[in-house]
Amino acid sequence: MSKSGKNIFLADDDADDCLLFEDALREVSTDITLTTISDGIELMDMLDERVPPPPDMIFLDLNMPRKNGFECLKEIRTDQRLKSIPVIIFSTSSQPEFIEQVYISGANRYIRKPSSFSELMKAIAEMLSIDWDTSEKFPKRDNFFISF
């Protein structure tokens, strides 16, 4: 079910979560390059250095040091070179005001971090299966928040 040759960024300051995400991603597809970034300033610097070509998608944690996910999302959506990159919020929080804020700011999906490895694999596989060039890119509110 995976698409080949993708380049994915994961911005998350929790090293354990990053390792778990990488392991789950490798189970889903072996043909993906994963770049992990530990804070928002590093993410924006890396995007500035590496784009073009942009990553195929960014999994973005909200609570990071130096620059949080809310700030990064706003910068990504206002930068001509970056604004079309799918951004999936990947957070432990399921606070309705956070979900609403990133929905309005232009995130493509909001995934509450799954509690099991199999659910994490399922979440990653689901995001990889989306054709981000279609109308699925910005879902209605009902399909925006994904919790396992």
Side-chain angles (χ1 to χ4, degrees):
M1 179 169 222
S2 67
K3 295 183 180 177
S4 63
K6 288 198 176 295
N7 180 19
I8 294 175
F9 282 13
L10 170 63
D12 193 329
D13 64 318
D14 186 315
D16 290 337
D17 283 356
C18 288
L19 287 172
L20 200 61
F21 186 96
E22 185 171 6
D23 288 346
L25 180 63
R26 297 285 166 252
E27 289 290 323
V28 172
S29 174
T30 56
D31 195 22
I32 291 177
T33 303
L34 178 66
T35 303
T36 56
I37 301 131
S38 61
D39 71 60
I41 288 177
E42 188 184 344
L43 171 64
M44 298 315 296
D45 288 348
M46 190 163 293
L47 286 169
D48 196 42
E49 292 168 16
R50 293 233 194 131
V51 176
D56 292 293
M57 69 183 72
I58 299 169
F59 285 84
L60 180 63
D61 187 21
L62 293 177
N63 300 312
M64 294 186 294
R66 302 198 308 155
K67 185 177 286 189
N68 66 39
F70 298 103
E71 295 166 307
C72 292
L73 177 61
K74 284 186 179 164
E75 284 184 41
I76 290 167
R77 288 299 177 242
T78 55
D79 185 318
Q80 265 322 106
R81 298 170 312 122
L82 309 176
K83 69 180 189 177
S84 65
I85 301 170
V87 176
I88 296 100
I89 302 302
F90 193 62
S91 178
T92 54
S93 173
S94 57
Q95 292 184 29
E97 60 272 18
F98 288 178
I99 297 167
E100 183 65 14
Q101 184 177 347
V102 296
Y103 182 82
I104 289 168
S105 295
N108 300 90
R109 295 290 189 287
Y110 190 115
I111 297 176
R112 183 165 185 266
K113 287 183 180 179
S115 57
S116 77
F117 189 73
S118 63
E119 290 171 341
L120 178 57
M121 285 175 38
K122 185 177 175 188
I124 292 170
E126 189 174 317
M127 293 303 104
L128 293 175
S129 71
I130 293 173
D131 180 356
W132 294 104
D133 296 326
T134 69
S135 61
E136 286 186 70
K137 188 167 189 168
F138 294 103
K140 292 183 173 29
R141 276 184 170 79
D142 304 356
N143 300 328
F144 179 70
F145 177 72
I146 301 165
S147 181
F148 289 88

